[in-house]
Amino acid sequence: MILELDCGNSFIKWRVIHTADAAITGGGIVDSDQALLAAVAGLGDLPLVGSRMVSVRSEEETSSLCALIKERFGVAVSVAQPVKEMAGVRNGYEDHQRLGMDRWLGALGAFHLARGACLVIDLGTAAKADFVAADGEHLGGYICPGMPLMRSQLRTHTRRIRYDDASAERALNSLAPGRSTVEAVERGCVLMLQSFARAQIEQAQALWGDDFTVFLTGGDAPLVHVAAPQARIVPDLVFVGLAMACPLS
């Protein structure tokens, strides 16, 4: 079995898959290294043969987690590294090492699944969009605050905006104009994300007409699907690219 890790700025997404067919044995999202070790250990005595990771953390933080996994489970971690070209996709950044690995692997995975031009919209802590042409050229993309960042900034800089997660969840039962602060904030942030997605699709249409595939990924992808009904929701898109970048047998 293989332990796969997507280490973001706020959370670690993980899953354990079978080596032969990639069937998922278990997985989840945790907020710390120790929580990750406990969650994986909770699956029992797994016959892990290896681990692979994509990380946007610092090198020190990434190395520390790799060491913990090696010590706890006895397997080395293969960490995806930036490259100029892989699997038919050419990195579009002027300095290819500056493109976030989560974005790069999402582009790899999307191009592999689409077999043609594609737009990846990743809706996590940040909202990101990346364009890959039919010939595999990564054309670049956009980054803006995602739902968690927008909510956090409003709570931090506006004294009267205070509400709990349960209230936030209830507020999203509708997108009608909010009649309370929580409704106004939560619905306003969702509408901004939906507008972001629509703008990316318009860009893609200007480039390629209708001959492209839209992928939605990230935790808030369901909130945006109504604005992009033609899109494919692929929650584990980064893991598709990770398997390509770090093959383990």
Side-chain angles (χ1 to χ4, degrees):
M1 293 188 179
I2 296 171
L3 171 62
E4 296 185 321
L5 303 165
D6 177 5
C7 300
N9 293 302
S10 304
F11 300 99
I12 302 171
K13 186 174 183 179
W14 68 276
R15 69 181 191 178
V16 174
I17 63 171
H18 286 270
T19 309
D21 58 5
I24 300 172
T25 295
I29 299 174
V30 294
D31 60 4
S32 71
D33 294 357
Q34 293 303 321
L36 170 69
L37 298 180
V40 176
L43 293 179
D45 189 16
L46 298 173
L48 291 177
V49 299
S51 177
R52 53 192 172 214
M53 174 193 298
V54 53
S55 175
V56 298
R57 295 174 161 193
S58 69
E59 290 186 14
E60 182 179 354
E61 291 173 318
T62 300
S63 297
S64 175
L65 179 54
C66 290
L68 288 173
I69 292 170
K70 176 68 173 178
E71 178 182 359
R72 178 64 180 82
F73 302 111
V75 294
V77 182
S78 177
V79 181
Q81 300 296 327
V83 294
K84 291 184 178 180
E85 185 172 352
M86 177 176 286
V89 181
R90 297 180 298 283
N91 193 313
Y93 259 31
E94 294 176 359
D95 179 356
H96 74 276
Q97 298 189 58
R98 301 294 295 175
L99 177 63
M101 286 303 301
D102 55 340
R103 292 174 60 196
W104 173 241
L105 296 184
L108 286 181
F111 188 73
H112 171 74
L113 295 175
R115 303 294 181 185
C118 52
L119 166 63
V120 181
I121 303 175
D122 185 349
L123 300 152
T125 302
K128 295 160 285 190
D130 282 282
F131 298 75
V132 183
D135 64 357
E137 183 72 23
H138 172 240
L139 304 180
Y142 299 91
I143 304 173
C144 73
M147 194 81 175
L149 281 178
M150 287 191 284
R151 181 187 292 126
S152 174
Q153 287 299 299
L154 283 168
R155 286 177 171 177
T156 300
H157 296 288
T158 308
R159 291 182 179 178
R160 293 193 176 186
I161 294 181
R162 296 288 185 273
Y163 54 84
D164 57 28
D165 292 340
S167 298
E169 186 174 349
R170 288 194 299 271
L172 294 179
N173 290 332
S174 166
L175 289 182
R179 296 174 64 85
S180 66
T181 298
V182 61
E183 290 180 353
V185 169
E186 292 296 311
R187 296 173 187 180
C189 290
V190 169
L191 290 176
M192 288 189 71
L193 285 186
Q194 291 181 353
S195 296
F196 175 78
R198 290 190 181 100
Q200 308 315 308
I201 293 171
E202 289 175 2
Q203 289 261 38
Q205 289 171 334
L207 287 168
W208 305 313
D210 293 323
D211 192 16
F212 66 97
T213 304
V214 182
F215 292 92
L216 294 180
T217 190
D220 287 323
L223 296 178
V224 173
H225 198 206
V226 66
Q230 74 274 48
R232 294 174 59 180
I233 295 183
V234 184
D236 295 329
L237 185 60
V238 166
F239 286 143
V240 176
L242 180 60
M244 298 164 67
C246 300
L248 298 173
S249 56

